[in-house]
Amino acid sequence: MELILALAIGVLTSSGVYLVLRPRTFQVIIGLSLLSYAVNLFILSMGRLRMDAAPILSGAGANPADYTDPVPQALVLTAIVIGFAMTALFLVVLLAARGLSGSDHVDGREN
Amino acid sequence: MDSVNHLAILPIIIPMAAIIINLLVGDSRAERTIAINVVFGILNLGVAALLFVTVALGAAEAVWLYPLGDWPVPFGIVLVADRLSATLVLTTAILALASLIYASARWHNRGTHFYPLLNAIIMGVNGAFLTGDLFNLFVFFELLLAASYGLALFGGGRNRVRAAMHYIVINLVASSLFLLGVALIYGTVGTLNMADIARAAPLIVESDRGLFEAGCAVLGIAFLIKAGSWPLHFWLPNTYSSAAPPVSALFSIMTKVGFYSILRLWTLVFASEGGEVTFAQHTLLVLGVATVAFGSIGALSCKALDRLASYLIIVSAGTLLLAVGYNVPSVTAGAILYAVVATLAAGAIFLLKDVLDQILPAESQILAVSLELYGDEEEEVDEDEEVSPAIPAATTLVSICFAIAALMMAGLPPLSGFIAKFAMIEGAFASEGAPTMATWWFTAALMLSGLLVLIAMVRNGINIFWASLPAGTLVQLRPLEIGPIVGLLAVCVLLSVAAGPAMGFLIETANVLHAPLTYTNAVLPGAGS
C-alpha cells in the first residue's frame, strides 16, 4: 500500500515536472494538473494510510482509533476545488494567448 | 469568548460585500459603479483604521481573536488581529483606495469586472494578514492570486496575456509547493493552527524533526516565490510592468504578503530556540543580499519607469528578507515601517508613470530611451526658442511627486524611507554582542542599494523632466489621477513627521512578535506551553 502510493505520487510528480518544463502551453497545463493530483495524494497520505476506516464519527462513545483522520480529506477537497478553478482559468488564458500570438508556445513565438 | 469583537472579520466581510454588490449591479452605468466602489473603499479604509486604532490603543501584547463559528480554538479556524496585522491591513486599505480612485478616472473601462477583482484582491490580502490558520492562509492566498490573475490580464493585449500566463504558471507551481509544505507540517505536528504549531514544534520527536523542517522549507519556498526573492523573482518585472498601472500599484502589496507570512511563521515557530541562529536564518540573509544586489543592478539597467519600479519592489523585498533573516526585534520594527512606506511609494511610482505617459508625447519618450544609445547630438536647439520657457505648474507638481518617491525608495533623509533604513541599521548594531559579518553585510546591502536606486531614479528623472518634457505646452492633469498619488506620498511624508510615535509603536510590536509566547497564550488560553 505505502509503496504503491509512494510510486504513484513519484510518477505523477516527475511526469508533471517534465511536462511543466515543455514548451507548449497544452503540455504545461497537463503537467500542472498531474502535479496537483500528486499533491492531493500526498496530502491524503499525511493523515496516515488507513484501509476501510470512515472519517466521520458516528454516535457517542465511538473510539477515535477506529476512524481515519478527517482533516486531510477536508484539505484535499478544498485543494481539488481550488485547483480545478485555477486550471479552468489557466485554460482560458492559454486560449487567449493562442489567439493573440498565433502560437501555442509559452512565450508566444515558434521555434 | 463572551465578548467576541466582530471588528477583526470586517476587513474581510466588507470587500466580499463589495464583490457581491458589484456583480449584482454590473458595469452598465459607470458613475453609479464608481460611486458604490468609492464608498466601499472609504468604508474599508474606515474599518481598517478603526481596527488599527483599537489594536493600537490596547496593550502591546493585546491580540484580538475571532473564532469563526465560535469553534474552540485548535479545532476551528481563528482570525487573529495583532498590531502587525492591523498595520498591514491599514496599509492595504490606503493603497487600495488610491488605486481605486486612480482607476475610476479612465482605466476602469478598459476591460470588464475591474472593481470585483480589485475587491477580491483586498479581501484575499486582508484575510492573509488576519488569519491564524495555515490552511486558511492558503485559501486566502489562492483568493488573492485568482483575483490577481484576472487583474494582470485586465486591459488585454498580447504583452499582458503573455506576462500573465507566465505569472499564472509560476504561481500554480508555487501553490502546489505551498500545499506540500502545509501537508508535511500537518503530518508531523498534527495541527494547522499557527499558535498550535508553535506550541507543538519544540515537542516534535527527533526522528520527525527533519520532516517538519523540510515542510517549513518547502512552505518557505512558496512564500519566497510570492515575496519576489532572488532567484525566484523572474516573473516579477514582466508581470508588474505589463499590468495596467492601477493594478501594478495594487500589486506592490502582494510581495509584502510573502514577507508577512515568513515573518509571522518564523518568529512564531522558530524563535523559541533562544538567541541562537534559527532555522534557515543564514539562508534568508544570503537570499536577502542576493535579492537586493540583483534588484539594484536591475534598477540601474532600466530605462522605463514602470520596469524600474518593478526592480524597486525587488529591492524592497530583499531588504525585508534581510531584516527577517537578521531576527532581532529592533531590526524588525524598522522593517515593518519600511514595508509600509516602500509599498505606498512603489504604488505611487507606478501611478506616476501612467500620468507621465499622458503628459509626454510619444516621440520624446523614445528620445528618453534612445538618448544614451545614440547620444544627443541631434538635439540642436533652435536659438530663437531658447528663452527659458516657463515650466507649467502641473509639471512641477508631478516632478515634486517624483522627487519624493525617489527619496523614499532610495532611503535618503529627511523622509521616512531613510528613517526606516536607519532604524534597521541602528537596530542591527545595537543588538547584543560585537557586530558580526552579518551586520556588515546587512549594512552594506542597505547602503549600497540606496545609492544604486538613487542613481537609477535620478537618471530616470533627468531623462523625463529635463530632457523630454515639452516646455510651454498646456499640461492637464486629472484631479482623480494626481490626487491618489499625492495622497500616497502625503502618507509617506506624514510618517516621516510622525516617525517618533510610529517607531515607538513598531518597536513594541516587534518585541511582542519576537516573544511568541504572548501570541500563543492569547490564541490558546490554558495550553500552558
PDB file of all heavy atoms in Angstrom, chain B residues 492-520:
ATOM      1  N   CYS B 492       3.356  58.965   3.247  1.00  0.00           N
ATOM      2  CA  CYS B 492       4.784  58.721   3.482  1.00  0.00           C
ATOM      3  C   CYS B 492       5.415  59.899   4.208  1.00  0.00           C
ATOM      4  O   CYS B 492       6.197  59.718   5.152  1.00  0.00           O
ATOM      5  CB  CYS B 492       5.515  58.509   2.160  1.00  0.00           C
ATOM      6  SG  CYS B 492       5.014  57.037   1.299  1.00  0.00           S
ATOM      7  N   VAL B 493       5.096  61.124   3.760  1.00  0.00           N
ATOM      8  CA  VAL B 493       5.675  62.312   4.384  1.00  0.00           C
ATOM      9  C   VAL B 493       5.185  62.442   5.821  1.00  0.00           C
ATOM     10  O   VAL B 493       5.956  62.746   6.739  1.00  0.00           O
ATOM     11  CB  VAL B 493       5.316  63.568   3.559  1.00  0.00           C
ATOM     12  CG1 VAL B 493       5.771  64.821   4.279  1.00  0.00           C
ATOM     13  CG2 VAL B 493       5.947  63.480   2.184  1.00  0.00           C
ATOM     14  N   LEU B 494       3.894  62.143   6.008  1.00  0.00           N
ATOM     15  CA  LEU B 494       3.313  62.204   7.343  1.00  0.00           C
ATOM     16  C   LEU B 494       4.039  61.239   8.273  1.00  0.00           C
ATOM     17  O   LEU B 494       4.319  61.551   9.431  1.00  0.00           O
ATOM     18  CB  LEU B 494       1.833  61.835   7.257  1.00  0.00           C
ATOM     19  CG  LEU B 494       0.989  62.196   8.467  1.00  0.00           C
ATOM     20  CD1 LEU B 494       0.842  63.700   8.527  1.00  0.00           C
ATOM     21  CD2 LEU B 494      -0.371  61.538   8.375  1.00  0.00           C
ATOM     22  N   LEU B 495       4.365  60.053   7.732  1.00  0.00           N
ATOM     23  CA  LEU B 495       5.076  59.062   8.542  1.00  0.00           C
ATOM     24  C   LEU B 495       6.486  59.545   8.895  1.00  0.00           C
ATOM     25  O   LEU B 495       7.058  59.102   9.890  1.00  0.00           O
ATOM     26  CB  LEU B 495       5.153  57.735   7.803  1.00  0.00           C
ATOM     27  CG  LEU B 495       3.983  56.785   8.046  1.00  0.00           C
ATOM     28  CD1 LEU B 495       4.076  55.581   7.155  1.00  0.00           C
ATOM     29  CD2 LEU B 495       3.945  56.358   9.499  1.00  0.00           C
ATOM     30  N   SER B 496       7.058  60.423   8.050  1.00  0.00           N
ATOM     31  CA  SER B 496       8.374  60.972   8.419  1.00  0.00           C
ATOM     32  C   SER B 496       8.224  61.944   9.570  1.00  0.00           C
ATOM     33  O   SER B 496       9.050  61.985  10.475  1.00  0.00           O
ATOM     34  CB  SER B 496       9.012  61.704   7.235  1.00  0.00           C
ATOM     35  OG  SER B 496       8.572  61.194   6.030  1.00  0.00           O
ATOM     36  N   VAL B 497       7.135  62.751   9.526  1.00  0.00           N
ATOM     37  CA  VAL B 497       6.926  63.721  10.599  1.00  0.00           C
ATOM     38  C   VAL B 497       6.591  62.997  11.895  1.00  0.00           C
ATOM     39  O   VAL B 497       7.103  63.320  12.962  1.00  0.00           O
ATOM     40  CB  VAL B 497       5.787  64.690  10.216  1.00  0.00           C
ATOM     41  CG1 VAL B 497       5.537  65.667  11.343  1.00  0.00           C
ATOM     42  CG2 VAL B 497       6.118  65.403   8.926  1.00  0.00           C
ATOM     43  N   ALA B 498       5.748  61.970  11.773  1.00  0.00           N
ATOM     44  CA  ALA B 498       5.309  61.243  12.964  1.00  0.00           C
ATOM     45  C   ALA B 498       6.171  60.015  13.199  1.00  0.00           C
ATOM     46  O   ALA B 498       5.711  59.006  13.725  1.00  0.00           O
ATOM     47  CB  ALA B 498       3.844  60.845  12.803  1.00  0.00           C
ATOM     48  N   ALA B 499       7.427  60.083  12.782  1.00  0.00           N
ATOM     49  CA  ALA B 499       8.267  58.886  12.855  1.00  0.00           C
ATOM     50  C   ALA B 499       8.502  58.447  14.297  1.00  0.00           C
ATOM     51  O   ALA B 499       8.601  57.253  14.573  1.00  0.00           O
ATOM     52  CB  ALA B 499       9.595  59.141  12.161  1.00  0.00           C
ATOM     53  N   GLY B 500       8.589  59.416  15.234  1.00  0.00           N
ATOM     54  CA  GLY B 500       8.845  59.065  16.632  1.00  0.00           C
ATOM     55  C   GLY B 500       7.781  58.143  17.188  1.00  0.00           C
ATOM     56  O   GLY B 500       8.075  57.000  17.574  1.00  0.00           O
ATOM     57  N   PRO B 501       6.511  58.598  17.204  1.00  0.00           N
ATOM     58  CA  PRO B 501       5.456  57.710  17.700  1.00  0.00           C
ATOM     59  C   PRO B 501       5.363  56.412  16.897  1.00  0.00           C
ATOM     60  O   PRO B 501       5.160  55.344  17.475  1.00  0.00           O
ATOM     61  CB  PRO B 501       4.179  58.541  17.526  1.00  0.00           C
ATOM     62  CG  PRO B 501       4.607  59.923  17.306  1.00  0.00           C
ATOM     63  CD  PRO B 501       6.023  59.930  16.885  1.00  0.00           C
ATOM     64  N   ALA B 502       5.517  56.522  15.564  1.00  0.00           N
ATOM     65  CA  ALA B 502       5.386  55.326  14.738  1.00  0.00           C
ATOM     66  C   ALA B 502       6.443  54.292  15.108  1.00  0.00           C
ATOM     67  O   ALA B 502       6.141  53.108  15.274  1.00  0.00           O
ATOM     68  CB  ALA B 502       5.511  55.694  13.253  1.00  0.00           C
ATOM     69  N   MET B 503       7.698  54.746  15.278  1.00  0.00           N
ATOM     70  CA  MET B 503       8.751  53.793  15.611  1.00  0.00           C
ATOM     71  C   MET B 503       8.545  53.229  17.016  1.00  0.00           C
ATOM     72  O   MET B 503       8.778  52.043  17.253  1.00  0.00           O
ATOM     73  CB  MET B 503      10.133  54.453  15.510  1.00  0.00           C
ATOM     74  CG  MET B 503      10.747  54.450  14.129  1.00  0.00           C
ATOM     75  SD  MET B 503      10.643  52.873  13.279  1.00  0.00           S
ATOM     76  CE  MET B 503      11.756  51.889  14.253  1.00  0.00           C
ATOM     77  N   GLY B 504       8.085  54.085  17.951  1.00  0.00           N
ATOM     78  CA  GLY B 504       7.813  53.586  19.297  1.00  0.00           C
ATOM     79  C   GLY B 504       6.780  52.467  19.262  1.00  0.00           C
ATOM     80  O   GLY B 504       6.957  51.403  19.866  1.00  0.00           O
ATOM     81  N   PHE B 505       5.717  52.715  18.488  1.00  0.00           N
ATOM     82  CA  PHE B 505       4.655  51.723  18.318  1.00  0.00           C
ATOM     83  C   PHE B 505       5.204  50.433  17.704  1.00  0.00           C
ATOM     84  O   PHE B 505       4.939  49.329  18.177  1.00  0.00           O
ATOM     85  CB  PHE B 505       3.582  52.342  17.418  1.00  0.00           C
ATOM     86  CG  PHE B 505       2.512  51.399  16.975  1.00  0.00           C
ATOM     87  CD1 PHE B 505       1.474  51.066  17.831  1.00  0.00           C
ATOM     88  CD2 PHE B 505       2.535  50.858  15.705  1.00  0.00           C
ATOM     89  CE1 PHE B 505       0.483  50.196  17.421  1.00  0.00           C
ATOM     90  CE2 PHE B 505       1.547  49.991  15.290  1.00  0.00           C
ATOM     91  CZ  PHE B 505       0.517  49.663  16.152  1.00  0.00           C
ATOM     92  N   LEU B 506       6.037  50.595  16.659  1.00  0.00           N
ATOM     93  CA  LEU B 506       6.517  49.417  15.942  1.00  0.00           C
ATOM     94  C   LEU B 506       7.540  48.638  16.762  1.00  0.00           C
ATOM     95  O   LEU B 506       7.628  47.414  16.638  1.00  0.00           O
ATOM     96  CB  LEU B 506       7.107  49.829  14.598  1.00  0.00           C
ATOM     97  CG  LEU B 506       6.058  50.272  13.585  1.00  0.00           C
ATOM     98  CD1 LEU B 506       6.706  50.785  12.324  1.00  0.00           C
ATOM     99  CD2 LEU B 506       5.141  49.108  13.245  1.00  0.00           C
ATOM    100  N   ILE B 507       8.318  49.347  17.605  1.00  0.00           N
ATOM    101  CA  ILE B 507       9.289  48.612  18.430  1.00  0.00           C
ATOM    102  C   ILE B 507       8.551  47.723  19.429  1.00  0.00           C
ATOM    103  O   ILE B 507       8.902  46.564  19.623  1.00  0.00           O
ATOM    104  CB  ILE B 507      10.242  49.602  19.132  1.00  0.00           C
ATOM    105  CG1 ILE B 507      11.274  50.093  18.102  1.00  0.00           C
ATOM    106  CG2 ILE B 507      10.960  48.948  20.301  1.00  0.00           C
ATOM    107  CD1 ILE B 507      12.177  51.165  18.588  1.00  0.00           C
ATOM    108  N   GLU B 508       7.470  48.261  20.016  1.00  0.00           N
ATOM    109  CA  GLU B 508       6.650  47.414  20.899  1.00  0.00           C
ATOM    110  C   GLU B 508       6.092  46.230  20.124  1.00  0.00           C
ATOM    111  O   GLU B 508       6.114  45.091  20.586  1.00  0.00           O
ATOM    112  CB  GLU B 508       5.504  48.226  21.495  1.00  0.00           C
ATOM    113  CG  GLU B 508       5.920  49.156  22.611  1.00  0.00           C
ATOM    114  CD  GLU B 508       4.739  49.979  23.114  1.00  0.00           C
ATOM    115  OE1 GLU B 508       3.587  49.642  22.759  1.00  0.00           O
ATOM    116  OE2 GLU B 508       4.971  50.940  23.848  1.00  0.00           O
ATOM    117  N   THR B 509       5.590  46.518  18.895  1.00  0.00           N
ATOM    118  CA  THR B 509       5.047  45.457  18.052  1.00  0.00           C
ATOM    119  C   THR B 509       6.079  44.362  17.823  1.00  0.00           C
ATOM    120  O   THR B 509       5.798  43.170  17.967  1.00  0.00           O
ATOM    121  CB  THR B 509       4.646  46.040  16.680  1.00  0.00           C
ATOM    122  OG1 THR B 509       3.845  47.178  16.903  1.00  0.00           O
ATOM    123  CG2 THR B 509       3.908  45.032  15.846  1.00  0.00           C
ATOM    124  N   ALA B 510       7.307  44.805  17.463  1.00  0.00           N
ATOM    125  CA  ALA B 510       8.344  43.829  17.137  1.00  0.00           C
ATOM    126  C   ALA B 510       8.763  43.050  18.368  1.00  0.00           C
ATOM    127  O   ALA B 510       9.030  41.847  18.288  1.00  0.00           O
ATOM    128  CB  ALA B 510       9.544  44.548  16.526  1.00  0.00           C
ATOM    129  N   ASN B 511       8.808  43.712  19.533  1.00  0.00           N
ATOM    130  CA  ASN B 511       9.159  42.989  20.757  1.00  0.00           C
ATOM    131  C   ASN B 511       8.163  41.881  21.028  1.00  0.00           C
ATOM    132  O   ASN B 511       8.539  40.775  21.425  1.00  0.00           O
ATOM    133  CB  ASN B 511       9.208  43.958  21.944  1.00  0.00           C
ATOM    134  CG  ASN B 511      10.498  44.751  21.955  1.00  0.00           C
ATOM    135  OD1 ASN B 511      11.506  44.283  21.440  1.00  0.00           O
ATOM    136  ND2 ASN B 511      10.454  45.941  22.518  1.00  0.00           N
ATOM    137  N   VAL B 512       6.868  42.190  20.817  1.00  0.00           N
ATOM    138  CA  VAL B 512       5.847  41.167  21.037  1.00  0.00           C
ATOM    139  C   VAL B 512       5.997  40.051  20.011  1.00  0.00           C
ATOM    140  O   VAL B 512       5.894  38.864  20.326  1.00  0.00           O
ATOM    141  CB  VAL B 512       4.442  41.804  20.960  1.00  0.00           C
ATOM    142  CG1 VAL B 512       3.375  40.734  21.033  1.00  0.00           C
ATOM    143  CG2 VAL B 512       4.266  42.799  22.075  1.00  0.00           C
ATOM    144  N   LEU B 513       6.304  40.439  18.751  1.00  0.00           N
ATOM    145  CA  LEU B 513       6.475  39.435  17.693  1.00  0.00           C
ATOM    146  C   LEU B 513       7.576  38.458  18.051  1.00  0.00           C
ATOM    147  O   LEU B 513       7.477  37.261  17.792  1.00  0.00           O
ATOM    148  CB  LEU B 513       6.872  40.138  16.395  1.00  0.00           C
ATOM    149  CG  LEU B 513       5.813  40.430  15.365  1.00  0.00           C
ATOM    150  CD1 LEU B 513       6.469  41.011  14.145  1.00  0.00           C
ATOM    151  CD2 LEU B 513       5.071  39.172  14.997  1.00  0.00           C
ATOM    152  N   HIS B 514       8.645  38.988  18.648  1.00  0.00           N
ATOM    153  CA  HIS B 514       9.780  38.126  18.952  1.00  0.00           C
ATOM    154  C   HIS B 514       9.635  37.433  20.295  1.00  0.00           C
ATOM    155  O   HIS B 514      10.536  36.740  20.736  1.00  0.00           O
ATOM    156  CB  HIS B 514      11.091  38.925  18.891  1.00  0.00           C
ATOM    157  CG  HIS B 514      11.507  39.196  17.477  1.00  0.00           C
ATOM    158  ND1 HIS B 514      12.317  38.345  16.765  1.00  0.00           N
ATOM    159  CD2 HIS B 514      11.174  40.176  16.616  1.00  0.00           C
ATOM    160  CE1 HIS B 514      12.494  38.809  15.543  1.00  0.00           C
ATOM    161  NE2 HIS B 514      11.817  39.927  15.435  1.00  0.00           N
ATOM    162  N   ALA B 515       8.517  37.646  20.972  1.00  0.00           N
ATOM    163  CA  ALA B 515       8.218  36.884  22.183  1.00  0.00           C
ATOM    164  C   ALA B 515       6.945  36.097  21.900  1.00  0.00           C
ATOM    165  O   ALA B 515       5.862  36.466  22.352  1.00  0.00           O
ATOM    166  CB  ALA B 515       8.033  37.819  23.370  1.00  0.00           C
ATOM    167  N   PRO B 516       7.030  35.029  21.106  1.00  0.00           N
ATOM    168  CA  PRO B 516       5.828  34.405  20.556  1.00  0.00           C
ATOM    169  C   PRO B 516       4.912  33.810  21.618  1.00  0.00           C
ATOM    170  O   PRO B 516       3.784  33.460  21.304  1.00  0.00           O
ATOM    171  CB  PRO B 516       6.374  33.317  19.638  1.00  0.00           C
ATOM    172  CG  PRO B 516       7.751  33.067  20.103  1.00  0.00           C
ATOM    173  CD  PRO B 516       8.251  34.348  20.676  1.00  0.00           C
ATOM    174  N   LEU B 517       5.393  33.715  22.862  1.00  0.00           N
ATOM    175  CA  LEU B 517       4.516  33.132  23.883  1.00  0.00           C
ATOM    176  C   LEU B 517       3.263  33.966  24.086  1.00  0.00           C
ATOM    177  O   LEU B 517       2.203  33.428  24.370  1.00  0.00           O
ATOM    178  CB  LEU B 517       5.269  33.007  25.213  1.00  0.00           C
ATOM    179  CG  LEU B 517       6.042  31.708  25.394  1.00  0.00           C
ATOM    180  CD1 LEU B 517       6.623  31.622  26.780  1.00  0.00           C
ATOM    181  CD2 LEU B 517       5.140  30.513  25.113  1.00  0.00           C
ATOM    182  N   THR B 518       3.374  35.306  23.926  1.00  0.00           N
ATOM    183  CA  THR B 518       2.189  36.149  24.084  1.00  0.00           C
ATOM    184  C   THR B 518       1.127  35.756  23.061  1.00  0.00           C
ATOM    185  O   THR B 518      -0.042  35.615  23.392  1.00  0.00           O
ATOM    186  CB  THR B 518       2.529  37.635  23.863  1.00  0.00           C
ATOM    187  OG1 THR B 518       3.725  37.725  23.134  1.00  0.00           O
ATOM    188  CG2 THR B 518       2.639  38.372  25.157  1.00  0.00           C
ATOM    189  N   TYR B 519       1.572  35.569  21.810  1.00  0.00           N
ATOM    190  CA  TYR B 519       0.645  35.196  20.745  1.00  0.00           C
ATOM    191  C   TYR B 519       0.049  33.826  21.037  1.00  0.00           C
ATOM    192  O   TYR B 519      -1.167  33.636  21.020  1.00  0.00           O
ATOM    193  CB  TYR B 519       1.416  35.179  19.417  1.00  0.00           C
ATOM    194  CG  TYR B 519       0.592  34.878  18.187  1.00  0.00           C
ATOM    195  CD1 TYR B 519       0.085  35.904  17.395  1.00  0.00           C
ATOM    196  CD2 TYR B 519       0.347  33.572  17.803  1.00  0.00           C
ATOM    197  CE1 TYR B 519      -0.642  35.629  16.265  1.00  0.00           C
ATOM    198  CE2 TYR B 519      -0.387  33.290  16.679  1.00  0.00           C
ATOM    199  CZ  TYR B 519      -0.879  34.321  15.898  1.00  0.00           C
ATOM    200  OH  TYR B 519      -1.608  34.041  14.784  1.00  0.00           O
ATOM    201  N   THR B 520       0.931  32.864  21.344  1.00  0.00           N
ATOM    202  CA  THR B 520       0.466  31.501  21.572  1.00  0.00           C
ATOM    203  C   THR B 520      -0.520  31.441  22.723  1.00  0.00           C
ATOM    204  O   THR B 520      -1.570  30.813  22.627  1.00  0.00           O
ATOM    205  CB  THR B 520       1.660  30.589  21.883  1.00  0.00           C
ATOM    206  OG1 THR B 520       2.745  31.003  21.092  1.00  0.00           O
ATOM    207  CG2 THR B 520       1.347  29.152  21.588  1.00  0.00           C
TER     208      THR B 520
END
